[in-house]
Amino acid sequence: MRTLRTIDEMRSALEAPRRRGAMVGLVPTMGAFHDGHLSLMRLARRDCEVVVVSLFVNPTQFNEPQDLVSYPRDETRDAVLAEGVGVDLLFAPAQEEIYPAGFATTVSVSGITRDFEGDARGRTHFDGVATVVSKLLNIVMPDVAYFGEKDAQQVQVIRRLVEDLNMPVRIQAGATVREPDGLAMSSRNAHLSPEERRRAAAIPRALSQAQEMVGAGQQDARVIEQAVRAELESSATQVDYVRIVEPERLAPIRTIAGPARMLVAARFGNTRLIDNQLLRSE
Ligand code: AMP
């Protein structure tokens, strides 16, 4: 595996593979790898001849300065893990390489970005995500780009973005990887105290409860949302949102008659966690 720092190096490294028609996969990340990241890299390794992982803690998508400062960073460890799953190229640019002096463009997706994370974290969050992902897709020009279902709204924002801007890339979502007690893996889990970590298990518990209710025939979204909220409120410091939505446009639904996804966000101490679960009626 080679670690590349500049856009020029990245482009030259892909020239020969692209000329011979090799399929290129990109996994965009902010580092601090866990099994969730590695599962996306494994998916890419299975599908593609060349696997590129980008590692860039994107400052423009952070709405809380403290969150950016305390974001875990360990490139040496990340490089070992990426190499271990067969990644070919690690693109780890400096901030000035991505945002040089004079940088003035923002890619902004409207509609689907308004609620949930857009509402909780403000406009800048998804603007930051859409802008950096557009840049990474333009730099690497992958055939396939991999994103985690854990960030379900982000996946739909990226799908909207590539469709609207006619970007020639396939977006592949990877299943959420979980800890043994069901908590979704996240770089932010490291900030939880042992006691908060125990309480955070309420999230997967509440999501399973939602699935059980749907499986038992409950179709009223409000009833399920109330049960999930109650379960979360008994453990979380603060519940940001609990909503059942149509999985593509993320419009809230009242009666579960077809595809539905439950989205939740809650704080445990100062750590904000998000998760989601597809609800199946059969
Ligand atoms: P991040 O480094 O947090 O920006 O995440 C990089 C990619 O990994 C994103 O597409 C995330 O959705 C994905 N990801 C994060 N956590 C998980 C997880 N537990 N399971 C699967 N994918 C994940």
Side-chain angles (χ1 to χ4, degrees), residues 28-31 34 36-37 39-40 71 146-148 150-151 154 175-177 184-185 187:
T29 81
M30 299 204 298
H34 49 65
H37 298 111
S39 72
L40 296 177
Y71 201 82
Y146 297 81
F147 294 87
K150 148 96 177 11
D151 299 285
Q154 174 170 279
T176 301
V177 178
M185 290 193 179
S187 319

Side-chain angles (χ1 to χ4, degrees), residues 27-50:
V27 183
T29 81
M30 299 204 298
F33 295 158
H34 49 65
D35 268 342
H37 298 111
L38 300 181
S39 72
L40 296 177
M41 296 176 205
R42 288 193 191 100
L43 275 184
R45 182 71 285 163
R46 194 193 62 191
D47 297 345
C48 304
E49 282 147 278
V50 182

Side-chain angles (χ1 to χ4, degrees), residues 69-252:
V69 172
S70 62
Y71 201 82
R73 293 170 173 84
D74 190 346
E75 189 192 308
T76 312
R77 173 180 173 275
D78 286 347
V80 171
L81 291 172
E83 178 147 42
V85 293
V87 169
D88 299 301
L89 301 168
L90 184 68
F91 179 49
Q95 202 169 304
E96 309 74 60
E97 182 71 4
I98 298 297
Y99 299 114
F103 186 86
T105 301
T106 298
V107 180
S108 190
V109 178
S110 60
I112 195 162
T113 53
R114 195 194 61 188
D115 297 334
F116 310 114
E117 291 309 282
D119 182 37
R121 305 180 68 174
R123 263 243 73 77
T124 53
H125 172 63
F126 281 123
D127 282 359
V129 170
T131 303
V132 82
V133 170
S134 300
K135 285 175 68 74
L136 292 168
L137 293 175
N138 283 336
I139 293 165
V140 177
M141 292 192 287
D143 298 279
V144 194
Y146 297 81
F147 294 87
E149 234 171 50
K150 148 96 177 11
D151 299 285
Q153 188 177 15
Q154 174 170 279
V155 173
Q156 295 311 126
V157 170
I158 305 294
R159 288 194 194 281
R160 185 79 258 158
L161 163 76
V162 304
E163 189 177 332
D164 287 356
L165 297 185
N166 310 102
M167 292 176 164
V169 60
R170 182 160 69 83
I171 301 303
Q172 177 74 52
T176 301
V177 178
R178 297 177 179 281
E179 301 285 357
D181 68 352
L183 184 68
M185 290 193 179
S186 164
S187 319
R188 292 191 175 84
N189 293 353
H191 298 317
L192 296 167
S193 71
E195 193 255 339
E196 289 161 355
R197 172 64 189 81
R198 272 193 298 279
R199 286 196 277 132
I203 296 180
R205 212 163 48 231
L207 291 175
S208 307
Q209 188 185 343
Q211 176 52 59
E212 276 165 32
M213 290 174 82
V214 172
Q218 181 57 260
Q219 288 191 304
D220 186 337
R222 233 169 287 213
V223 171
I224 300 168
E225 286 165 2
Q226 272 163 13
V228 165
R229 184 172 274 279
E231 174 74 42
L232 291 178
E233 276 173 354
S234 68
S235 303
T237 311
Q238 185 191 311
V239 178
D240 277 2
Y241 57 78
V242 171
R243 201 38 112 233
I244 297 176
V245 298
E246 177 283 316
E248 278 176 21
R249 300 188 44 229
L250 308 187

